[in-house]
Structure formats: C-alpha cells, structure tokens
Amino acid sequence: MIKNSLTFKNIKDFSGRKSWRRLVIKFIAALFLMVPVAFRALPADVISIPVQVVENGQPSTQIELALIERMGYLKAREAADVFNAGISYIPGTGELIYRWPHLGEEKEVLFEIGSDYVVMEGVRRRMMKTPLIISDTAYIPLEAVITRAFQNVIEGVVSWSFDDRTLWISLKDGIREVRNYSYSNYSRFVIETGGKLDFTTRRRRNAWDIIFEDTPLVFPYEGEYIGDGVVERISVEKSHSGAVFTVHTGNKAGEVQVKKYPAPPRVVVDIVNTDPAPPDETRDDMIQVIRTDIAMRDRESVGDIELVIIDPGHGGRDPGAIGAMGTREKDVVLSIARMLASEIKKELNIRAELTRTGDYFVPLAQRTEIANKKGADIFISLHANSSLNPNARGLEVYFLSEDASDAEAAAVAARENSVVAMEQRSPEMDRLTSILWSLTLNQFMNESSELASIVTRNVSKGTLLSNRGVRQAGFYVMKGARMPAVLVELGFLSNREDERLINCEDFQRSAARSITAAVKEYRNMVNNR
C-alpha cells in the first residue's frame, strides 16, 4: 500500500512548472477558501457514522462517513488507504491528488479544495459538492468514488449499499452484478463478472443452477423474489471461492437457453413464457411493456446499452401543461414516446419500454422504480415546457442535481414536481435516512450530464427548436434512478409557435429520430471507453 503524509509540513508538488504569478494567485485563493473551515472543530450538525468496507466479498475495515451539508464525505486519507492509492496535497494550489502508479502513469484523480470539479481519466467532471478541509483534515465527497469514471481509474467496481451502510469494493475478477428482466413472452437472468466466465449449469426439477466454482460474489446480493409466472425466485449459495445461483421456475416456464458474451463478460439465461398475457393498459400499478420479440435476447451482444426506459410525463388526471390551442402535454409526449420507442428498436436494435402506454396516472417515484426493476441502462423523461413569459420557447434538457443551475431551472422543476400533490405519499424518511439515500443518486450524475449534452446537440440539430442548453435541478421523477437519466422539455406549450410545432407529426417524428441518434452516440461513447 502506498502512503504519503497529508500534513502541511511534508508536501511534494506534482503540479509541474507554473508561473510565479499563477502560483501566488492560487495560493491566496486557497487561503481564502481554507481559513473559514481549516481551524475549527466539526460543525455541530455534522453526523458521523461508521461504514463497513467489504473488499472482494470479504469484510476488511471500517471507515467514517461524515454527513456534511446533507451530503456524505470520506476522509481523504482513509479513502486513499481503502483504494490503495498514493495521495498528496498541495496547499499552494489547493490540489488533492490520488495516484495509482502500479496501475499506470495515467491513473490519477485530481480534486481541488473548494471546487466542485474533479479530473478523472483526463476529463473534468462536475460534482454536487466540493472537497473540504475541516480541522486540518481533508474530506472528499462520497459521490466521487461511486462514479463509473472513478471505477475505470481503479480498474474495479465500487458500490454503496444504502440498507446496511456498506461500501463494496471489487478489485479483482468476480461476480460483479446480477440483473433480471420480465417481458411478456420471456424472462431473462444475467450474471456479469469481472473477466472470468468459467461456469457450469445443472437442471433440476423446477430449477436451473448456474455454478461458479472459482469466481466469488463480490457485491451484495442475497437472491430475490420475481413472481412473474416464469421465474418464481432466484436464490444464491455463496462460498469463499465461488457461488451457485438457482433460478426457480414457475408454471409458465418453457424452453431455457443459456449463453455467454464477452463484452462485458456475462452469462445470459432466457426462459420462454409459455402463456404470455396481453398487456393491460388500464392498471395504474402495472409496468407497461412495448412488445418485444424473443429474438431480441441475442442483442445482449451489442454492448452496454441494452434497455432504454422512456417516460411520457404526466397522464390520467394530470394533464401537465396546456397550450393556448388546448394542446395537453400528456398527449403529445405520449405520442413522441411511442415514436421514440419504435425508432430505438428499429435503428439501434435494442429494447425500449414505456412507463405508461395509455392515458393513466403513474406516480413520479414509480417511474424510476420501473426503470430500476427492469435494469434499464438509460432513463429518458419526455415533457413539454410552460412559462409565464409567452415569448419563452425552445429546447431544454435537464439532469438531476440537488441544487438548480438557475432560477428558471428551479421554476421548471417546481412545476413538474407539483404533481406530488396528487399522490398518496408515505411520511418522509428521517433526516439521516434521507441523506444516506441521496448518496445513491449521485453515481450517474456525470454520465447523465454527458447524455444531456448529447441529447441537446442532436435534438437542436434535428428539429426547429432553439437550444436553451443543458440545465440541472431536483426533479422528483429522476430521483432514485440507478442509471443515467435526463428530462427533455421539447418546447413551450405557452408559446404559440412552439405549440404549433409540437402538434405537428413531422416535428414529433424528427424529435424521436434525434433522440434516437443521441442514444446511439452515447452508446458508442460508452462502448469505446
């Protein structure tokens, strides 16, 4: 393990040659940022809780999670020890640098005290909170280490378990993820590993075993109940060196196919539904699925983007925005969503499903729950905007953030969030639970930002909508999404020109094609990393 002192007396400057003036300016700026916090005790409202670290499936150590300003922070030194990194702090620039020389020269993560930007893989990425120095101790946001970019740097997998307050780290080959999908005509079970795909299968009465003798489970998984008629439940038996997954089949289970794919390494188990039921579009609590042919199971080989969940905003008793000509937001976004799903399946040959396929109400929280349960890779929520300013028009694309990027973004989020008044919501979680849950929302913030930029560029190019840019705000409909998620406002129904555009079938089809092109571009970017 590589350790460097993080005191102000023993500092090595890795910043290279810089002009004397630049160093002076950055030193003064760093002092300005540090003085209010560096020489005081932890604030009274900071909550400190122990977090168990599990490395490669085995408990290793406990570290401290500090909840500061409603966000989770790790001590910089403890994070370096846990992730086996060298660490250095440069007070003149405020730079906090992690390095993994045993993995390669380019393996570096650079934070800057007081800045909400971090550099990973040579790319400058924005965080929701900034690194801090409190009582001479440096802290980094937990959100940074659970991003995919950080995981690419350390060549491992990091996940935060909300339920048991555990940080799971896998730095070697192992079973890293399990996911399942239920469709109208088949069910799928996927096991993803870090490299090795050595397994055997065993058929039993009403069950199939997938046996990994030398590939251990390195993330939290205890099995789960499915109950779709094809698969009743999935159980797992774990050992130090391997794991056995058992798929318990139901009375609708038919032919079983087991395949393996190299990128990413995974085993795919498909079970035919011998008695598929037609979708029921009248139930509010049912996941509405666009018909998917069973041949689509072979699309597991196309890459990491396999399922897109499309969310037509509003619906049922919630009409959304209403234009001067009587256009209802819920109607036009459903029309565009249907076109988008069709385009994605036709052009990209991947699956696309809607959170609602008819005019009925779906609570906001249930929309991302659908995406999570289905194991979606992308979540796209479609809307049409509204403003008190009749001249406001154009395209806006949002990704989730605790803080709005500007007053207009906050107003849009407030309008879209107002639907919660129609929902029967359970009492709010206590403050600690709420904060801990919010930590899971940040894992895909950078990816969501990248996706939002790609969607904005493609839609503004492919339609006549003016580009109002990428923004961020706290939309309830995206909270809890465990995948990159964006909300697309396709023009303003409060503007007559935009309303006429949105009502036009040619525009709707152009919007669908443009978003499809964006998904394709994003998929190519992910696969080329």
Side-chain angles (χ1 to χ4, degrees):
M1 184 173 292
I2 303 167
K3 293 187 178 181
N4 294 322
S5 175
L6 198 57
T7 65
F8 296 158
K9 295 180 180 179
N10 184 14
I11 298 166
K12 184 176 180 180
D13 189 344
F14 291 102
S15 58
R17 293 185 177 180
K18 297 181 179 178
S19 69
W20 177 84
R21 179 178 295 179
R22 183 182 176 192
L23 283 174
V24 169
I25 292 173
K26 298 202 82 173
F27 181 73
I28 294 172
L31 286 177
F32 178 79
L33 289 168
M34 291 165 55
V35 167
V37 296
F39 303 105
R40 58 182 172 86
L42 288 174
D45 61 347
V46 170
I47 300 174
S48 179
I49 62 173
V51 169
Q52 177 66 52
V53 177
V54 176
E55 185 172 348
N56 298 322
Q58 301 298 316
S60 61
T61 187
Q62 277 199 343
I63 60 175
E64 176 185 320
L65 176 68
L67 301 178
I68 306 171
E69 298 176 356
R70 301 186 67 248
M71 290 298 294
Y73 283 82
L74 301 177
K75 290 181 178 179
R77 160 56 58 205
E78 289 187 344
D81 292 343
V82 164
F83 293 108
N84 196 26
I87 185 173
S88 59
Y89 174 67
I90 307 171
T93 62
E95 292 175 335
L96 186 64
I97 305 171
Y98 289 83
R99 284 192 172 92
W100 290 263
H102 58 291
L103 296 179
E105 290 289 331
E106 74 284 358
K107 298 295 185 179
E108 176 180 292
V109 174
L110 189 152
F111 296 93
E112 189 170 336
I113 302 299
S115 170
D116 56 359
Y117 284 94
V118 60
V119 178
M120 300 182 189
E121 302 179 292
V123 178
R124 195 165 180 254
R125 305 168 185 271
R126 191 170 187 178
M127 302 178 292
M128 294 180 71
K129 295 296 181 181
T130 67
L132 302 172
I133 293 181
I134 300 179
S135 300
D136 292 337
T137 299
Y139 292 84
I140 63 171
L142 173 63
E143 64 175 284
V145 305
I146 60 177
T147 60
R148 287 186 177 179
F150 185 86
Q151 294 173 52
N152 289 341
V153 172
I154 67 171
E155 298 181 5
V157 175
V158 184
S159 61
W160 162 252
S161 175
F162 164 76
D163 293 330
D164 53 10
R165 300 173 190 178
T166 301
L167 193 66
W168 291 75
I169 304 171
S170 170
L171 299 176
K172 68 176 185 180
D173 288 343
I175 300 168
R176 296 181 170 184
E177 185 177 357
V178 171
R179 51 190 183 267
N180 64 81
Y181 311 93
S182 295
Y183 300 104
S184 61
N185 50 5
Y186 74 102
S187 295
R188 166 174 289 164
F189 178 54
V190 181
I191 304 169
E192 185 174 320
T193 76
K196 292 177 64 175
L197 272 178
D198 295 334
F199 70 96
T200 59
T201 61
R202 178 175 59 211
R203 184 174 184 175
R204 297 190 285 129
R205 181 178 174 84
N206 298 327
W208 277 79
D209 294 332
I210 301 95
I211 305 162
F212 293 85
E213 293 184 352
D214 299 314
T215 309
L217 190 67
V218 293
F219 82 105
Y221 185 75
E222 301 297 334
E224 57 191 309
Y225 173 76
I226 307 300
D228 62 4
V230 178
V231 177
E232 289 302 312
R233 62 188 176 92
I234 297 168
S235 61
V236 60
E237 294 182 11
K238 294 174 282 187
S239 67
H240 179 72
S241 61
V244 177
F245 295 89
T246 301
V247 181
H248 301 269
T249 54
N251 55 13
K252 295 183 180 181
E255 177 190 358
V256 177
Q257 291 189 8
V258 181
K259 297 183 180 181
K260 62 181 182 180
Y261 298 99
R266 63 203 185 278
V267 180
V268 179
V269 181
D270 285 327
I271 306 174
V272 173
N273 186 343
T274 59
D275 185 23
D280 177 3
E281 297 189 5
T282 64
R283 289 181 52 190
D284 283 9
D285 61 345
M286 178 179 179
I287 298 175
Q288 303 297 327
V289 180
I290 291 180
R291 182 170 179 174
T292 306
D293 190 275
I294 194 165
M296 291 290 286
R297 61 183 161 215
D298 291 333
R299 296 278 63 80
E300 275 281 349
S301 62
V302 300
D304 291 335
I305 308 302
E306 301 164 358
L307 174 63
V308 179
I309 291 293
I310 304 162
D311 173 47
H314 310 278
R317 60 183 180 270
D318 172 26
I322 300 177
M325 297 184 292
T327 305
R328 299 185 303 183
E329 180 180 0
K330 67 175 183 177
D331 297 330
V332 291
V333 296
L334 178 59
S335 175
I336 296 171
R338 287 169 171 162
M339 294 178 185
L340 175 57
S342 177
E343 285 289 329
I344 287 175
K345 290 198 295 180
K346 181 180 69 174
E347 297 298 327
L348 306 185
N349 216 8
I350 60 177
R351 298 184 303 280
E353 301 179 10
L354 272 60
T355 57
R356 67 177 179 94
T357 58
D359 186 15
Y360 48 84
F361 182 76
V362 180
L364 294 181
Q366 199 174 96
R367 297 171 186 249
T368 47
E369 184 181 348
I370 290 170
N372 290 338
K373 285 183 176 180
K374 285 292 181 180
D377 301 296
I378 292 176
F379 180 83
I380 301 174
S381 189
L382 300 179
H383 293 260
N385 218 332
S386 180
S387 174
L388 294 176
N389 177 7
N391 296 319
R393 60 179 309 195
L395 166 74
E396 293 177 345
V397 181
Y398 290 84
F399 65 96
L400 179 66
S401 173
E402 186 178 356
D403 302 314
S405 53
D406 53 61
E408 279 189 303
V412 173
R415 181 179 69 81
E416 298 292 359
N417 292 341
S418 64
V419 69
V420 298
M422 301 181 182
E423 303 177 11
Q424 295 181 349
R425 298 177 65 84
S426 58
E428 290 187 2
M429 296 181 293
D430 65 274
R431 177 172 176 262
L432 175 58
T433 302
S434 177
I435 293 171
L436 288 173
W437 175 248
S438 72
L439 298 178
T440 67
L441 306 182
N442 305 317
Q443 183 173 2
F444 296 99
M445 194 176 81
N446 289 319
E447 287 79 5
S448 297
S449 173
E450 291 172 334
L451 177 59
S453 297
I454 293 171
V455 170
T456 300
R457 183 171 63 254
N458 279 272
V459 176
S460 61
K461 179 182 178 182
T463 68
L464 296 177
L465 288 175
S466 58
N467 185 359
R468 293 170 62 91
V470 173
R471 301 186 179 190
Q472 54 193 92
F475 291 88
Y476 290 160
V477 73
M478 291 191 288
K479 289 189 175 181
R482 296 175 186 148
M483 73 288 300
V486 295
L487 184 145
V488 185
E489 295 277 5
L490 290 161
F492 284 73
L493 288 178
S494 52
N495 178 275
R496 288 186 176 273
E497 288 82 1
D498 273 7
E499 184 179 7
R500 278 194 289 268
L501 265 182
I502 294 169
N503 270 305
C504 176
E505 183 177 346
D506 287 344
F507 167 83
Q508 294 179 11
R509 200 161 298 281
S510 294
R513 288 171 178 164
S514 299
I515 297 174
T516 300
V519 172
K520 180 179 181 180
E521 182 179 337
Y522 180 78
R523 183 183 67 172
N524 291 340
M525 181 188 72
V526 170
N527 289 344
N528 289 332
R529 280 178 172 171

